[in-house]
Amino acid sequence: MSHHPSLIAAFDRLDVPADLRALIINHHSEAHRHYHTLRHIDLMLRQLPVDHAHAPEMIAATLFHDIIYDPTRSDNEELSLAMFQSAASRLATPKPLDEPLVFAMILATKSHHFRDDNPEGEAINHLLKADLSILWHPDPQVYAWYAAGVRKEYAFVPEDRFQAARTKILQQLRHDLLNSKQITDTETKTMTLNIAWELRGLGI
């Protein structure tokens, strides 16, 4: 765990009990995961504003949003939410977690639709941006790990179908992010380069 320092800090900040830490670690270490792993969680946590009023909710949502992940299912977020609900009362912060906000955050990772500019919407947007931040990661090797990991997780999908679906997803994410006004000019430039590189690999 020494190579996931942000994860350890998140566990400590929410005073996550040992058995829940083991549960989160075990789920994110499942053999079929290649991108949706502890590294993904750690990378997300690094992007969150630690002093935000809703930082504890963002951390909780990050820890649990992919705790159930099966590429063959369409209800992973709902199942992950149910697991958070079963554990929420055991997470300790200076004040009780805003559980409905965590619910909204977890479910928002299904569509990645950014919200209106209000306090809760801002918190959800921070989480969504953290979840998508791999798209503008400045290290090409990290982005390559992400792209390869997604392909491995969907190894059961024939190549032609995967290429078509992945191309559509990348183009939609790029379009939505460019129109969201949520990312900086530097992030936009890096995302454009990363996605272009992956699309070339897909034959686009």
Side-chain angles (χ1 to χ4, degrees):
M1 292 296 293
S2 61
H3 52 297
H4 298 308
S6 296
L7 178 60
I8 296 171
F11 282 157
D12 291 343
R13 182 164 180 177
L14 296 187
D15 197 17
V16 180
D19 63 319
L20 279 185
R21 296 186 187 209
L23 181 74
I24 292 167
I25 291 169
N26 290 339
H27 274 275
H28 288 89
S29 302
E30 292 166 332
H32 66 275
R33 294 178 185 245
H34 300 277
Y35 168 63
H36 292 87
T37 61
L38 293 173
R39 187 182 189 186
H40 166 55
I41 300 302
D42 193 76
L43 288 170
M44 273 188 71
L45 289 166
R46 297 180 198 181
Q47 304 302 314
L48 299 179
V50 296
D51 296 326
H52 193 280
H54 291 301
E57 285 79 12
M58 294 181 210
I59 292 169
T62 299
L63 293 177
F64 281 90
H65 79 289
D66 280 332
I67 195 165
I68 301 298
Y69 181 72
D70 179 349
T72 67
R73 300 186 66 108
S74 62
D75 59 350
N76 289 306
E77 291 79 10
E78 290 81 3
L79 295 173
S80 295
L81 172 57
M83 188 164 286
F84 168 74
Q85 290 174 307
S86 71
S89 65
R90 303 183 61 210
L91 303 177
T93 61
K95 62 179 183 179
L97 286 173
D98 183 341
E99 292 185 26
L101 179 55
V102 180
F103 299 168
M105 288 177 175
I106 291 173
L107 293 178
T109 64
K110 190 179 185 94
S111 64
H112 292 98
H113 291 158
F114 288 96
R115 300 304 201 263
D116 294 333
D117 189 17
N118 56 58
E120 290 191 355
E122 180 187 63
I124 293 171
N125 290 345
H126 278 304
L127 181 82
L128 293 179
K129 185 175 177 182
D131 196 21
L132 295 172
S133 62
I134 192 69
L135 295 173
W136 53 88
H137 198 285
D139 187 338
Q141 291 185 339
V142 175
Y143 189 86
W145 162 77
Y146 156 66
V150 171
R151 184 63 185 108
K152 289 177 183 177
E153 289 178 349
Y154 286 88
F156 60 91
V157 179
E159 186 63 23
D160 57 341
R161 286 178 51 204
F162 178 82
Q163 288 178 348
R166 183 65 179 160
T167 297
K168 182 178 180 180
I169 289 170
L170 287 171
Q171 292 175 337
Q172 188 64 55
L173 285 172
R174 180 176 60 190
H175 175 270
D176 290 349
L177 282 161
L178 290 175
N179 285 283
S180 72
K181 310 302 182 185
Q182 295 290 325
I183 60 177
T184 67
D185 290 343
T186 298
E187 290 166 345
T188 296
K189 181 178 179 180
T190 305
M191 176 187 70
T192 300
L193 291 171
N194 284 342
I195 289 180
W197 172 83
E198 187 175 356
L199 289 174
R200 285 195 299 272
L202 294 170
I204 306 303

